[in-house]
Amino acid sequence: MHSHITKLYQLAAKPSRRIIGLMSGTSLDGLDIALCLISGSGQHTSVTVEQFITVPYQDEFRSRVQAVFAKRQVDLQQLTLLHPWIALQHAAMINQALRDWQIPASEVDLIASHGQTVYHCPLRQHQDPEWGNATLQLGDGDHLAVHTGIITVSDFRQKHIAAGGEGAPLAAYGDYLLFGSAQENRILLNIGGIANLTYLPADADLNKVFSTDLGPGNTIMDAYVRQHYPALQYDADARIASSGKVAPALLAALLQHPFFSLSLPKTTGPEVFNLQYLQCAQQQSGCVALSPADVLATLNCFSATAIVRLVQQLSASTAPTVIYASGGGIHNPLLMRQIQQQLPQFPLRTTAELAILPDAKEAVLFALLANESVAGSSDTFTATSRAMPAITMGKISFAD
């Protein structure tokens, strides 16, 4: 037996594994690094987040990714060079974090790397019958493994697509393992660049569990801020948006996209909801002359309304339903206030009440997927739907 296979066998047999989960989302704000101690697998999984940090991206990193991000036509050489380069940047961030935490790499069993999404393209988006679903994440797992000295599991989304899914969202797998409750229905709402949720019914029926994208979270707001306020990356504490007024005509135009009438589950991305989409909606609604503050107020309401409309469909059970939010959007007080005001019947909390830091949740979920890849069982998930196929995800890269 090859020594690599022997090592994987030994990892799988351990009662617990130390796994670094990585997440870099469409907001391009930084790399989330969560050092997790994960015990067991499947329905017997438990997680302790030992350390967490978000390493902000420098302007050079962000500009290089933005040159190819969510664009149909890009420089192929630049795209190719970015694949290893992003991994090397992430490896350096991991190594520095471990030094700061005074933890040697030899004490970490696995890295779970989501990579950097640069294009998400489900069939329902491109609508070309010759092609299926597709998505592309950069940040090569082999480079990460070699330059950290830690076995790396990466490229999780491709197996989901190969099994008939759209490659996103994947949160349902980890959410089901960690957050189910017999006392209440739970909605795990993540507000990143794109907003998504996982629905966990109190009866724990796996056939009812699903994840879906809801529409834009922070992506258009952040892009608009960078365009009109070059010194800012985002509207901190929604100060600009809070000074503006919602334009009903623009809001109505933004909500007309066919995505919102698609059946569930569904996925989307900045390829759809971007500044060009905003510009078209402004022209359509006669709102081109709005002040930046009014545009941001309307975009904030747009994200909140897209979230609220879908959540309102998920209250058929007699058990109470509670929303647990995570992601960068929870730091937008105007957005959170609008969601709660429109959903008074749903308590709105954060995953901190479930012992997972809201900013760390997505990175933790990928650590869970890596744990399942190495130590899980094919019997953990019995669903056979296209939205949540019973699969093990991730490609394994050895460190030598």
Side-chain angles (χ1 to χ4, degrees), residues 8-340:
L8 283 178
Y9 178 81
Q10 293 169 343
L11 283 179
K14 292 174 66 174
S16 62
R17 283 152 292 279
R18 237 177 179 177
I19 302 177
I20 289 177
L22 304 179
M23 182 64 196
S24 178
T26 55
S27 295
L28 290 175
D29 52 353
L31 179 67
D32 295 335
I33 306 176
L35 178 63
C36 306
L37 182 65
I38 303 182
S39 301
S41 63
Q43 294 300 300
H44 305 289
T45 302
S46 64
V47 177
T48 299
V49 180
E50 297 183 323
Q51 301 283 350
F52 174 73
I53 188 173
T54 297
V55 182
Y57 286 146
Q58 300 299 313
D59 289 342
E60 178 190 26
F61 185 101
R62 191 179 293 109
S63 63
R64 288 186 175 185
V65 173
Q66 286 174 339
V68 302
F69 181 72
K71 292 181 171 62
R72 293 186 63 176
Q73 295 184 348
V74 299
D75 183 327
L76 185 56
Q77 175 174 289
Q78 186 172 15
L79 184 72
T80 303
L81 293 172
L82 274 173
H83 191 38
W85 185 81
I86 288 174
L88 293 176
Q89 306 310 304
H90 286 180
M93 295 173 187
I94 293 167
N95 291 336
Q96 184 61 55
L98 289 175
R99 285 192 294 269
D100 292 343
W101 297 333
Q102 298 183 345
I103 297 172
S106 59
E107 294 184 8
V108 179
D109 295 305
L110 297 169
I111 291 171
S113 174
H114 169 265
Q116 178 61 60
T117 297
V118 292
Y119 207 87
H120 184 64
C121 198
L123 173 60
R124 290 194 288 187
Q125 176 180 307
H126 64 71
Q127 297 185 342
D128 186 338
E130 290 189 44
W131 307 95
N133 300 316
T135 189
L136 181 61
Q137 287 72 43
L138 300 184
D140 179 58
D142 286 335
H143 283 74
L144 263 174
V146 169
H147 288 270
T148 60
I150 302 170
I151 297 172
T152 297
V153 188
S154 64
D155 210 16
F156 293 91
R157 298 188 183 275
Q158 298 305 325
K159 178 64 87 56
H160 193 262
I161 289 176
E166 292 188 0
L170 302 184
Y173 295 88
D175 288 340
Y176 177 75
L177 295 181
L178 279 190
F179 298 124
S181 168
Q183 285 70 50
E184 62 187 21
N185 301 313
R186 288 180 171 176
I187 294 172
L188 279 299
L189 171 64
N190 185 71
I191 311 174
I194 297 297
N196 62 70
L197 66 74
T198 298
Y199 178 66
L200 300 174
D203 62 13
D205 184 348
L206 191 55
N207 292 315
K208 298 178 184 176
V209 175
F210 72 93
S211 283
T212 184
D213 284 347
L214 310 175
N218 307 313
T219 185
I220 309 183
M221 288 188 284
D222 290 351
Y224 188 82
V225 167
R226 289 192 293 267
Q227 182 184 60
H228 289 268
Y229 304 89
L232 303 177
Q233 289 298 320
Y234 63 97
D235 182 14
D237 297 323
R239 287 191 288 266
I240 303 171
S242 297
S243 69
K245 296 182 180 179
V246 174
L250 176 57
L251 177 61
L254 289 167
L255 288 165
Q256 286 179 6
H257 195 281
F259 170 80
F260 296 112
S261 61
L262 293 175
S263 60
L264 301 179
K266 52 192 175 181
T267 64
T268 190
E271 299 80 9
V272 174
F273 295 108
N274 49 35
L275 292 180
Q276 182 179 3
Y277 179 70
L278 170 62
Q279 183 179 22
C280 290
Q282 286 183 278
Q283 292 171 345
Q284 175 187 338
S285 60
C287 294
V288 175
L290 283 180
S291 71
D294 288 349
V295 172
L296 279 171
T298 306
L299 288 174
N300 204 300
C301 189
F302 174 40
S303 293
T305 303
I307 291 168
V308 166
R309 285 186 174 181
L310 197 145
V311 169
Q312 288 173 331
Q313 302 175 29
L314 301 177
S315 57
S317 170
T318 56
T321 300
V322 180
I323 302 172
Y324 294 92
S326 61
I330 68 166
H331 302 295
N332 184 319
L334 178 61
L335 179 62
M336 295 295 284
R337 187 164 60 249
Q338 289 188 95
I339 293 170
Q340 185 63 93

Side-chain angles (χ1 to χ4, degrees), residues 385-400:
S385 69
R386 292 180 62 191
M388 195 176 170
I391 52 174
T392 298
M393 290 169 278
K395 299 179 175 72
I396 297 174
S397 298
F398 296 102
D400 54 17

